[in-house]
Amino acid sequence: MRQAPPALSASGFGSAWFALCAAFALHILDEATTGFLAVYNPTVTILRERWGSFPMPTIALREFLIGHVLVCALLFCLTPVAARGMHGLRPLAWAYAVIMFLSGMGHTIGSILGHTVDSVTFPRPAPGFYSSPFLFIASVWLMTRLRRTAQVDFQLPTSD
């Protein structure tokens, strides 16, 4: 007799994925309403002058919002796939969690320092700081969930 696959909730990481999507959505709102681009764009410009090949673009608020909202919406749409614990989503989930953790870290460090590069200062806390704790918590939860489910045999239920 064939053994049933593990319960989807036991093998998946959907709740943690969803929480990180919600934290990301909150972070987008936080950055948009606290003047993030007024810090980000000058920082990118200065880093390009210093290093020549700095890969980040300068962006306007419209492009920032459209791009971030579309990415966030796509990530929200992947929640059912994460809930099933689909193996192919795991590398993206790890990258997503690490990027969001580092983003939260950057806003926190910026708040402590009061600047990004020496000539780009801002009043504390840094733009985007208020949502950083949510990014930390949700990204750590997703990373923890990914580690705990790493050994689970991911299978979709089949009808026999």
Side-chain angles (χ1 to χ4, degrees):
M1 178 174 220
R2 186 172 180 200
Q3 184 179 5
L8 294 179
S9 61
S11 65
F13 45 92
S15 296
W17 177 278
F18 183 83
L20 188 52
C21 289
F24 182 34
L26 180 64
H27 191 63
I28 294 167
L29 178 65
D30 186 10
E31 287 182 332
T33 58
T34 58
F36 171 71
L37 292 178
V39 173
Y40 170 82
N41 284 330
T43 301
V44 167
T45 301
I46 289 168
L47 292 176
R48 277 196 198 147
E49 289 171 2
R50 282 188 194 169
W51 298 333
S53 62
F54 190 69
M56 301 302 290
T58 56
I59 51 179
L61 182 61
R62 177 180 169 86
E63 288 78 22
F64 169 82
L65 286 174
I66 290 171
H68 280 73
V69 168
L70 287 175
V71 167
C72 190
L74 174 65
L75 292 168
F76 266 119
C77 289
L78 291 172
T79 300
V81 178
R84 286 188 211 100
M86 298 296 290
H87 186 70
L89 188 60
R90 294 179 68 79
L92 176 63
W94 274 106
Y96 180 34
V98 168
I99 289 168
M100 291 297 112
F101 182 85
L102 292 175
S103 178
M105 183 75 71
H107 290 281
T108 302
I109 291 170
S111 291
I112 293 167
L113 298 176
H115 65 87
T116 53
V117 292
D118 289 336
S119 58
V120 180
T121 61
F122 45 82
R124 292 180 182 131
F129 170 77
Y130 295 114
S131 57
S132 292
F134 299 104
L135 289 179
F136 283 128
I137 292 165
S139 62
V140 168
W141 183 19
L142 181 54
M143 288 186 269
T144 301
R145 196 69 191 126
L146 287 166
R147 283 190 44 88
R148 285 189 183 157
T149 60
Q151 303 304 320
V152 176
D153 182 21
F154 297 99
Q155 297 176 2
L156 287 176
T158 58
S159 59
D160 286 335

